[in-house]
């Protein structure tokens, strides 16, 4: 099996309640030591090894003992990371979306991982879209490329830093938009760059006369950025346009 197949096999074994954790660990130790495991696979392995039976309605299920990295390395060398334990990062990782994570350090290096309760403030956990909204949006044409194929339902707020859409019953169709896969992939990358740099995307790179319809490059909310609502952006930016005769 290749790397992708190995990772998927491990994940499936973990989710199969008829397979014991000991059996999963034997498989990982026996056949996967030279295979790079993804952060998702490592997070799921840790959750299983820590004997966490996650229940979002039972906060007591979200705690683990402090597990040394040296102990985890006995399962797979991928648990020892040179990039700050990406598989156990707060909020963005599989574990971080569900738990508060402690990462005690020695000499600037993470030496253990501990789950310390439910991460109720993780915005990135809440990306579900109500079915009626998904069904309606997916029938529309991409607001960027004007195509009807490969339509994805996009949260306009690319930072996922607002809580207004946590409850499915509170979601509004106006908070979502249809994007083709190509457009959504582009938006996802620009949103990632914005989050990392703190600078909003400048629509002048696309030939517009203004970079934002409200705010500036340092404005924190997504509203006003081209990618937040390309259709509305175009409407506002061209509002005073007069065609030359």
């Amino acid at each position: 099996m290749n790397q992708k197949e190995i990772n998927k096999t491990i994940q499936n074994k973990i989710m199969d309640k008829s397979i014991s954790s000991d059996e999963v660990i034997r498989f990982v130790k026996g056949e996967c030591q030279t295979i790079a495991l993804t952060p998702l696979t490592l997070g799921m392995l840790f959750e299983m090894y820590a004997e966490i039976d996650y229940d979002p309605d039972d906060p007591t299920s979200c705690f683990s003992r402090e597990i040394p990295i040296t102990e985890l390395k006995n399962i797979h060398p991928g648990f020892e990371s040179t990039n700050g334990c990406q598989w156990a990062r707060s909020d963005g990782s599989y574990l971080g979306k569900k738990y508060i994570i402690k990462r005690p350090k020695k000499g600037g290096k993470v030496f253990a991982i501990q789950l310390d309760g439910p991460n109720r403030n993780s915005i990135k956990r809440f990306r579900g879209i109500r079915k009626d909204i998904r069904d309606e949006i997916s029938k529309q044409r991409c607001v960027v490329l004007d195509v009807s194929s490969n339509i994805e339902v996009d949260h306009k707020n690319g930072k996922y830093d607002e809580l207004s859409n946590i409850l499915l019953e509170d979601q509004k169709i106006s908070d979502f938009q249809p994007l083709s896969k190509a457009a959504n992939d582009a938006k996802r990358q620009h949103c990632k760059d914005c989050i990392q740099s703190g600078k909003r995307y400048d629509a002048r790179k696309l030939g517009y006369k203004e970079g934002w319809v409200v705010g500036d490059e340092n404005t924190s909310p997504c509203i006003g950025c081209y990618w937040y609502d390309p259709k509305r952006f175009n409407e506002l930016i061209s509002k005073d346009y007069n065609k030359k005769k």
Side-chain angles (χ1 to χ4, degrees):
M1 290 188 289
N2 59 32
Q3 177 180 330
K4 183 177 181 180
E5 291 170 336
I6 286 286
N7 277 273
K8 191 62 177 177
T9 297
I10 295 172
Q11 294 168 20
N12 288 339
K13 285 179 177 291
I14 292 171
M15 291 186 291
D16 188 342
K17 299 305 181 183
S18 68
I19 300 176
S20 69
S21 58
D22 288 341
E23 185 177 342
V24 175
I25 290 173
R26 282 196 299 270
F27 175 76
V28 174
K29 285 185 174 182
E31 301 184 34
C32 311
Q33 294 297 287
T34 61
I35 301 294
L37 300 187
T38 65
L40 171 59
T41 302
L42 290 169
M44 292 177 68
L45 272 173
F46 179 91
E47 189 178 44
M48 180 200 72
Y49 182 71
E51 299 181 340
I52 300 294
D53 186 13
Y54 176 72
D55 181 350
D57 297 320
D58 179 9
T60 64
S61 71
C62 301
F63 292 79
S64 76
R65 65 183 176 90
E66 182 178 281
I67 304 179
I69 296 296
T70 52
E71 183 177 333
L72 296 170
K73 279 176 57 184
N74 290 329
I75 301 173
H76 192 277
F79 280 111
E80 184 174 45
S81 173
T82 58
N83 62 0
C85 289
Q86 181 181 8
W87 61 272
R89 287 183 177 176
S90 297
D91 206 40
S93 68
Y94 168 81
L95 292 176
K97 293 175 184 178
K98 299 163 70 175
Y99 309 99
I100 295 171
I101 303 175
K102 286 186 175 179
R103 294 179 296 275
K105 295 182 179 181
K106 287 182 180 178
K109 189 175 182 180
V110 175
F111 74 86
I113 299 294
Q114 181 178 15
L115 306 183
D116 199 40
N119 186 2
R120 299 198 184 282
N121 295 319
S122 173
I123 305 300
K124 294 183 179 180
R125 291 176 56 201
F126 305 104
R127 296 194 180 187
I129 302 173
R130 203 170 66 231
K131 184 179 183 303
D132 63 306
I133 293 178
R134 182 178 295 279
D135 289 346
E136 178 62 28
I137 294 288
S138 62
K139 292 186 294 186
Q140 300 175 15
R141 300 178 71 86
C142 173
V143 295
V144 173
L145 300 178
D146 190 32
V147 295
S148 58
S149 59
N150 296 319
I151 295 299
E152 298 181 351
V153 182
D154 171 62
H155 290 78
K156 289 182 179 179
N157 182 341
K159 291 183 178 180
Y160 298 93
D161 59 355
E162 295 178 355
L163 293 172
S164 60
N165 285 320
I166 288 179
L167 298 177
L168 295 182
E169 58 266 30
D170 291 340
Q171 290 182 344
K172 303 185 296 294
I173 195 169
S174 59
D175 290 325
F176 302 89
Q177 61 189 343
L179 292 180
S180 66
K181 184 181 186 308
N184 206 14
D185 286 347
K187 177 186 174 180
R188 189 175 296 113
Q189 183 59 53
H190 289 306
C191 289
K192 180 179 178 182
D193 293 342
C194 171
I195 291 170
Q196 292 178 343
S197 68
K199 303 293 184 181
R200 294 208 292 180
Y201 181 76
D202 188 341
R204 287 174 293 188
K205 295 177 181 178
L206 293 175
Y208 291 100
K209 63 181 180 180
E210 301 289 346
W212 314 270
V213 289
V214 291
D216 55 38
E217 68 173 353
N218 297 309
T219 299
S220 180
C222 296
I223 296 172
C225 172
Y226 169 81
W227 288 108
Y228 176 78
D229 191 338
K231 184 177 181 179
R232 180 62 173 160
F233 186 97
N234 280 307
E235 290 173 351
L236 292 175
I237 210 76
S238 60
K239 182 173 59 175
D240 298 322
Y241 175 74
N242 291 315
K243 183 180 179 180
K244 293 182 179 180
K245 296 182 179 180

